[in-house]
Amino acid sequence: MMPNLTYRERMTIQLLRNKKAGLQPSTQQAIATKFGLSKMYVSSIVAEKQHGKKSDEWRKKFAAYAGMK
């Protein structure tokens, strides 16, 4: 795990790793499609512009789907 990085930085790194390995998801658009959300909403959650319990739950779901630990 990379403790000194923000959630956004860790997610970006994981998506790039997935892309290099040919795995999904490799983009925020893929995450948005999987969960039936808009790309803008996913982006604002990943960037931590959205706060609260629901956003925290989404971040956990996104991390699990992307393969983050």
Side-chain angles (χ1 to χ4, degrees):
M1 188 177 212
M2 301 167 257
N4 297 329
L5 299 177
T6 66
Y7 178 84
R8 181 181 191 171
E9 292 167 332
R10 288 183 286 134
M11 179 60 78
T12 300
I13 290 167
Q14 186 63 45
L15 292 176
L16 289 172
R17 285 178 179 163
N18 288 355
K19 186 174 184 176
K20 277 187 136 179
L23 303 173
Q24 286 295 324
S26 60
T27 64
Q28 288 183 6
Q29 181 62 53
I31 293 172
T33 300
K34 163 74 176 172
F35 292 102
L37 303 170
S38 73
K39 200 275 188 189
M40 276 184 82
Y41 186 59
V42 170
S43 180
S44 67
I45 291 173
V46 170
E48 298 183 277
K49 293 179 183 176
Q50 298 287 331
H51 303 286
K53 185 178 178 182
K54 190 171 183 180
S55 296
D56 291 342
E57 290 172 8
W58 279 122
R59 276 189 276 282
K60 287 178 186 175
K61 289 179 182 181
F62 297 167
Y65 179 56
M68 288 172 50
K69 295 183 180 187

